[in-house]
Amino acid sequence: MSRHPSRQRLQRWLDTGETRRVDRHINECEHCQSTLDALTELDDEVVADLQTAVAPPDDLHDRTNVGVDGRLRSEAATGVFADLFLVGWDVVHTILDPTTDSDMTQPDQIETDGSIR
Amino acid sequence: MSSRHHDADGRPPEEQLRRVVEQHAAAVYRVALTVVHDAALADDVVQETMLKAWRHSPVAPGEAIPKAWLLKVARNTAISLLRTRREDLHGPETLPEGAGGPETTRTVEGRAQLDELWELMRHLDEDARTLIVLKEVDGLSYDEIAATLDLPLSTVKTRLFRARKALKDELKDWN
């Protein structure tokens, strides 16, 4: 389509989506895009109401920071707990494993210099 | 921000995360609310999005996180959250309490008008609502919207024209 569609035709395109030919033209034509921009421009009052309608609560930043900090701390604590659990499991496994040849009936005696008797 | 401000794993430090919250939390909240229609869920999306920004920042430590990337994460997080909780949601007919931000002292009449406008927005599909909010409220450029929604530029424009037309039609019917 070499010529620009009329405003009526662009309006019809908005209403019905016809036709592929107009589609193609609009996709490539900044002039028609500007016309459509003007045809569909929202009133300032509507935009202002929209801005208010989706405005976040006043304390959004504080709530987000507190929530994110809490999540990060909780995850860090979960990681420590998981590590402790794994250490505990290793100990239990060592005690119960019959292939372990160390004598667990008598606890090792640790000397004051750190050596094991 | 120099590299000495980053932790051992190279993730943005808390200070940087707080800056991201300060700069982008409101826009993330709006995108989230547009998808989930629930203030508490939108809050969850904001927090989840910020955590994702902390863990998976697409830029080198110290560089500003692109707004379009953050909003894309927010939208995907909101859609995902909505899918998992859809059964529990009954679709509030009005804006959640607390929406309306600093103007929470609006008159009852003003509040009702906002509720009605929001209800009209709910008649549009999610794509159309998001396009309108990103363009009209957040003032994103067409390029930024295209990056946020993963759409070609021309598609963003034509869909936005149609979205605004649809909202205007809804407003006309309402009036």
Side-chain angles (χ1 to χ4, degrees), chain A residues 13-14 37 40 42 47 50-51 54, chain B residues 27 30-35 37 71 75 79 118 121 124-167:
Chain A
W13 174 85
L14 279 171
D37 196 25
T40 61
L42 297 173
V47 172
L50 269 178
Q51 285 170 341
V54 294
Chain B
R30 285 190 282 269
V31 166
L33 189 64
T34 303
V35 175
H37 303 290
L71 295 181
R75 182 166 179 254
I79 290 170
W118 190 244
M121 282 284 279
L124 310 183
D125 62 37
E126 188 269 322
D127 248 10
R129 283 196 305 270
T130 303
L131 278 161
I132 289 173
V133 168
L134 290 179
K135 183 67 180 162
E136 305 297 335
V137 181
D138 283 309
L140 262 60
S141 68
Y142 290 120
D143 285 323
E144 287 174 313
I145 297 174
T148 300
L149 300 182
D150 263 339
L151 290 172
L153 190 58
S154 57
T155 306
V156 166
K157 290 181 181 178
T158 53
R159 285 195 192 174
L160 178 68
F161 299 148
R162 288 223 169 91
R164 292 198 306 209
K165 168 71 165 53
L167 180 59

Side-chain angles (χ1 to χ4, degrees), chain A residues 11 13-18 23 26-28 30 32-34 36-43 45-58 60-69 71-72 75, chain B residues 14 17-18 21-22 25-26 29-30 33-34 43 46-48 50-51 54-55 95 98-104 106 113-114 117-118 121 132-133 136-137 142 154-155 157-158 161-162 164-165 167-169 171:
Chain A
Q11 187 65 56
W13 174 85
L14 279 171
D15 290 336
T16 65
E18 62 93 31
D23 256 343
I26 291 167
N27 282 343
E28 293 163 6
E30 289 199 7
C32 286
Q33 287 171 7
S34 297
L36 284 163
D37 196 25
L39 279 172
T40 61
E41 194 177 11
L42 297 173
D43 293 343
E45 194 185 339
V46 172
V47 172
D49 278 350
L50 269 178
Q51 285 170 341
T52 308
V54 294
D58 292 338
L60 178 70
H61 293 174
D62 291 341
R63 286 215 307 246
T64 303
N65 285 328
V66 168
V68 169
D69 285 350
R71 290 272 299 273
L72 290 173
E75 285 171 13
Chain B
E14 285 185 19
L17 185 61
R18 287 190 194 286
V21 169
E22 197 171 308
Y29 178 90
R30 285 190 282 269
L33 189 64
T34 303
D43 259 3
V46 174
Q47 289 180 22
E48 194 63 36
M50 294 305 163
L51 283 168
W54 168 276
R55 292 175 183 135
L95 276 173
E103 295 187 38
T104 45
R106 290 177 70 91
Q113 189 176 327
L114 286 185
L117 176 60
W118 190 244
M121 282 284 279
I132 289 173
V133 168
E136 305 297 335
V137 181
Y142 290 120
S154 57
T155 306
K157 290 181 181 178
T158 53
F161 299 148
R162 288 223 169 91
R164 292 198 306 209
K165 168 71 165 53
L167 180 59
K168 282 165 83 86
D169 286 347
L171 286 163

